[in-house]
Amino acid sequence: MWPDARAPNRTGSPSSDLSTRLPIEPHHTAPRSSVAALDMASNTSNYKLSAAVANAKYNDIIPYEGATEKTTHEFLQKIVDILVDYIKAQNNRNEKILDFHHPEDMIKLLDLKVPQQGVSLQQLVHDCATTLKYQVKTGHPHFFNQLSSGLDLISMAGEWLTATANTNMFTYEIAPVFILMETVVMTHMREIVGKNWRKGDSILAPGGSISNLYAFLAARHKMFPNYKEKGIATIQGQLVMYTSDQSHYSVKSCASVCGLGTDNCVMVPSDESGKMIPAELERLVVERKNRGHIPFFVACTSGTTVLGAFDPINDIADICKKYGMWLHVDAAWGGGLLLSKKYRHPRMSGVERADSVTWNPHKLMGALLQCSTIHFKEDGLLMSCNQMAADYLFMQDKLYDIRYDTGDKVIQCGRHNDIFKLWLQWRAKGDEGFEELIDRLMELSEYLVKRIKEQPDKFYLIMEPEMVNVCFWYIPKRLRKEPHGPAREAKLGEMCPRLKAKMMEEGTLMTGYQPDDRRPNFFRNIISSAAVTEKDVDFLLSEMDRLGQDM
Ligand SMILES: *Cc1c(COP(=O)(O)O)cnc(C)c1O
């Protein structure tokens, strides 16, 4: 149940100050939804600390002098209660996904100021409850908005442990267990990419965008090993990279970050289903070569962000081989399908021919944010490309085998521990459990497609999906008789932001929309949460119809 906004203040009596700041029933702009029990504010007594602890301050708990284990325990236990209650509420289909307020109203509902004098433990408990009260519940079974959704509790338990261990990943010296886990899990992931990848190298990066950047840096280093010391002058000519017009924008950003300029990230046209056209890639490579440029890097996408399309890796690998270019596969999104015998082929056939692969466990695999990996077929490149051997951290004369100081392979210094939550999750599920999860998400997406097709008056499927991205329009009553064509598409496109706004005001459903090069706004629904069932897919469609039919 939800905490009452009126938490007791430091004297233990209800605070009128807080209750005016946090009305139980904030001004509703939207009409009430049909969903029952939306009133999330409830009883604060769940989160009442004992009288002795309520007025205690930060220095009454460990590690401060005079602190007691009892006070410490009570405080932390209360925080855990809040977190567990949040998880329960999130999985209650009668709860809203969000309680939307515009930023200027939200700031009034919250007390965010940093005080001169620190607040009590009871106030901190209350602050934590309030924070979650207004948070969007990304693990709610009716949240279909983002590539990363759901809340895997094993992975979350791992994140709690990680937070408690609070160590940095740069050296074996201070993270021995986590560094070894990293080695084991990364080797396992490479073996899944391809048999000939076992001896390669990998690292966890802060997101797929940075993983793609690592691929770019390694590719340039491989071709121009002197670049690291001598810089741009060692490259006699214009470097050019290629990716499809459907690729993630982080690929293009490599060109701007690394001195090529975005004009030298060539966007290769894609076909109707969003796949890179290999013949176009070759034509554009030859065109640049004829101008004396140096095409060196091709990023193909396995699972594009909007359409969930898969570039034909084998055809692109042939072209890379012919022209001596590095092949990177951005499987930040689609990488999870590597775990499924049923869905891996033909989508990612040929992935073992790549030089590098980005794969985000925090997307389809449901690991907690953030968890992103980059893998290389060739060992040693990451280290020779990025190593700076800082002599206060990566001393070369240490007690142990310094190859385990993986921190010197990266362009960061400190690195967050993103491995433990993934390792723990993999221990729990095994390869089999992950395969079941991936297959289930794909089957639920197939179910959604089937249900859309069964209601052609209300929904228009834009294409047969290859992944869990299902792209479609919702058709309100007034447009149901109109023949489908550019005129109706334009009107359906205008509907999307209005229907999305309604979803957010009601708080009952979230799914994403966007335009692309070929069409105006359309909905892109994502099923990447283990919480979703067929009933939730049915709810998705009926709720869109309830909210949108008269628009
Ligand atoms: C999500 C995504 C990225 C970026 O990953 P972040 O972890 O958000 O930085 C890159 N490429 C593709 C295809 C993606 O879907």
Side-chain angles (χ1 to χ4, degrees):
M1 295 302 281
W2 278 99
D4 192 317
R6 296 164 300 180
N9 62 12
R10 286 186 60 188
T11 58
S13 63
S15 157
S16 57
D17 175 39
L18 276 172
S19 58
T20 47
R21 202 170 62 235
L22 287 165
I24 303 175
E25 195 68 305
H27 357 283
H28 271 284
T29 46
R32 300 308 302 256
S33 152
S34 63
V35 177
L38 289 182
D39 193 354
M40 293 184 294
S42 67
N43 197 347
T44 183
S45 61
N46 296 348
Y47 305 128
K48 223 176 243 171
L49 294 169
S50 65
V53 178
N55 297 321
K57 304 278 288 256
Y58 75 96
N59 51 5
D60 295 317
I61 62 173
I62 293 173
Y64 294 93
E65 216 173 319
T68 66
E69 285 183 10
K70 194 168 166 292
T71 305
T72 306
H73 187 95
E74 186 179 329
F75 170 69
L76 290 178
Q77 187 59 53
K78 203 59 77 181
I79 299 295
V80 171
D81 291 347
I82 291 172
L83 301 181
V84 173
D85 285 352
Y86 178 77
I87 292 162
K88 289 187 209 156
Q90 172 163 267
N91 284 280
N92 177 354
R93 286 171 172 77
N94 294 326
E95 287 274 0
K96 282 197 194 187
I97 301 173
L98 79 164
D99 183 5
F100 178 79
H101 301 278
H102 289 281
E104 61 274 21
D105 299 329
M106 185 72 102
I107 194 99
K108 289 179 202 144
L109 292 174
L110 303 170
D111 173 14
L112 302 183
K113 72 176 178 294
V114 179
Q116 180 71 27
Q117 224 182 22
V119 301
S120 66
L121 295 183
Q122 182 62 70
Q123 181 61 43
L124 294 177
V125 165
H126 172 68
D127 288 347
C128 290
T130 309
T131 301
L132 286 177
K133 174 172 158 66
Y134 293 108
Q135 174 49 32
V136 176
K137 296 190 188 67
T138 58
H140 193 291
H142 300 157
F143 179 86
F144 301 95
N145 206 67
Q146 233 67 48
L147 304 188
S148 300
S149 50
L151 183 66
D152 184 297
L153 293 191
I154 304 284
S155 188
M156 186 194 74
E159 193 73 333
W160 286 3
L161 185 146
T162 296
T164 308
N166 191 33
T167 198
N168 207 312
M169 287 294 283
F170 38 50
T171 59
Y172 180 85
E173 191 173 328
I174 58 163
V177 182
F178 300 128
I179 293 277
L180 291 179
M181 280 171 179
E182 185 177 51
T183 309
V184 170
V185 177
M186 291 305 102
T187 304
H188 189 61
M189 289 179 84
R190 282 200 308 279
E191 283 172 338
I192 292 168
V193 171
K195 288 203 179 62
N196 53 341
W197 283 63
R198 198 188 146 70
K199 287 204 162 60
D201 197 7
S202 314
I203 201 78
L204 286 116
S209 307
I210 305 298
S211 290
N212 288 339
L213 179 65
Y214 276 113
F216 176 100
L217 293 174
R220 185 175 61 183
H221 178 72
K222 173 84 177 162
M223 197 174 271
F224 302 99
N226 291 330
Y227 181 92
K228 183 178 177 182
E229 284 84 20
K230 306 297 175 203
I232 197 85
T234 56
I235 303 177
Q236 305 290 323
Q238 178 62 59
L239 285 184
V240 186
M241 61 189 286
Y242 296 83
T243 193
S244 90
D245 58 13
Q246 302 290 313
S247 69
H248 190 266
Y249 66 89
S250 59
V251 175
K252 188 174 176 180
S253 125
C254 293
S256 95
V257 171
C258 300
L260 272 61
T262 51
D263 289 353
N264 295 301
C265 177
V266 178
M267 309 308 273
V268 181
S270 55
D271 65 16
E272 281 290 322
S273 55
K275 297 167 180 294
M276 188 193 288
I277 303 172
E280 285 293 294
L281 170 64
E282 182 159 20
R283 180 180 69 76
L284 291 162
V285 168
V286 170
E287 187 202 69
R288 289 296 190 116
K289 272 194 172 294
N290 289 342
R291 287 158 64 182
H293 293 179
I294 311 168
F296 84 112
F297 182 82
V298 179
C300 72
T301 313
S302 286
T304 59
T305 311
V306 176
L307 300 175
F310 289 78
D311 291 344
I313 304 176
N314 271 312
D315 296 345
I316 294 167
D318 290 343
I319 295 168
C320 287
K321 197 168 168 210
K322 185 168 167 189
Y323 297 95
M325 298 181 292
W326 179 285
L327 175 58
H328 174 61
V329 174
D330 179 2
W333 178 218
L337 295 190
L338 290 169
L339 298 158
S340 164
K341 288 185 277 298
K342 184 171 174 196
Y343 294 101
R344 173 177 178 141
H345 299 291
R347 294 169 183 77
M348 296 190 68
S349 302
V351 66
E352 66 285 350
R353 297 177 62 190
D355 297 291
S356 53
V357 174
T358 290
W359 174 359
N360 276 4
H362 73 222
K363 285 186 173 168
L364 210 53
M365 291 166 72
L368 258 63
L369 284 161
Q370 282 185 333
C371 192
S372 173
T373 63
I374 171 73
H375 306 276
F376 296 90
K377 194 192 281 166
E378 182 178 332
D379 189 17
L381 279 177
L382 264 179
M383 192 60 105
S384 69
C385 177
N386 301 317
Q387 183 178 41
M388 294 292 154
D391 53 14
Y392 61 91
L393 203 54
F394 306 112
M395 294 75 81
Q396 304 295 301
D397 50 3
K398 284 192 185 179
L399 168 69
Y400 53 86
D401 182 347
I402 57 165
R403 279 176 304 173
Y404 288 96
D405 281 357
T406 51
D408 213 9
K409 292 180 187 178
V410 295
I411 58 176
Q412 303 171 252
C413 171
R415 213 152 48 90
H416 186 256
N417 171 5
D418 292 328
I419 190 61
F420 184 71
K421 62 194 165 198
L422 176 61
W423 177 84
L424 198 67
Q425 197 190 12
W426 220 313
R427 288 281 285 184
K429 283 187 160 58
D431 293 344
E432 276 179 26
F434 265 129
E435 181 165 26
E436 275 166 28
L437 168 69
I438 303 294
D439 287 353
R440 172 83 177 132
L441 298 174
M442 291 294 280
E443 282 157 17
L444 280 166
S445 304
E446 288 162 6
Y447 177 75
L448 171 59
V449 169
K450 172 173 154 281
R451 298 289 292 133
I452 285 176
K453 286 180 178 167
E454 284 168 4
Q455 305 171 69
D457 54 325
K458 295 178 185 169
F459 299 95
Y460 184 95
L461 183 70
I462 291 174
M463 66 178 64
E464 287 291 336
E466 284 188 276
M467 219 184 139
V468 300
N469 310 42
V470 177
C471 298
F472 64 94
W473 280 295
Y474 170 71
I475 309 164
K477 278 182 191 158
R478 69 186 161 93
L479 298 173
R480 286 183 189 164
K481 295 255 147 56
E482 191 171 324
H484 195 79
R488 186 166 86 152
E489 284 188 4
K491 292 176 206 161
L492 294 174
E494 284 163 18
M495 271 287 295
C496 294
R498 291 171 54 209
L499 182 47
K500 175 68 180 266
K502 197 93 184 277
M503 290 178 201
M504 290 184 62
E505 283 165 3
E506 295 258 334
T508 51
L509 179 66
M510 281 182 79
T511 185
Y513 75 88
Q514 69 289 295
D516 71 5
D517 296 340
R518 291 197 166 82
R519 38 190 90 75
N521 284 327
F522 57 92
F523 285 106
R524 177 209 63 173
N525 193 77
I526 299 291
I527 300 178
S528 68
S529 163
V532 177
T533 65
E534 280 80 0
K535 276 204 192 93
D536 301 309
V537 172
D538 290 337
F539 174 83
L540 160 74
L541 297 179
S542 63
E543 184 69 357
M544 284 182 93
D545 189 38
R546 185 181 77 83
L547 298 174
Q549 56 183 299
D550 294 323
M551 278 191 171

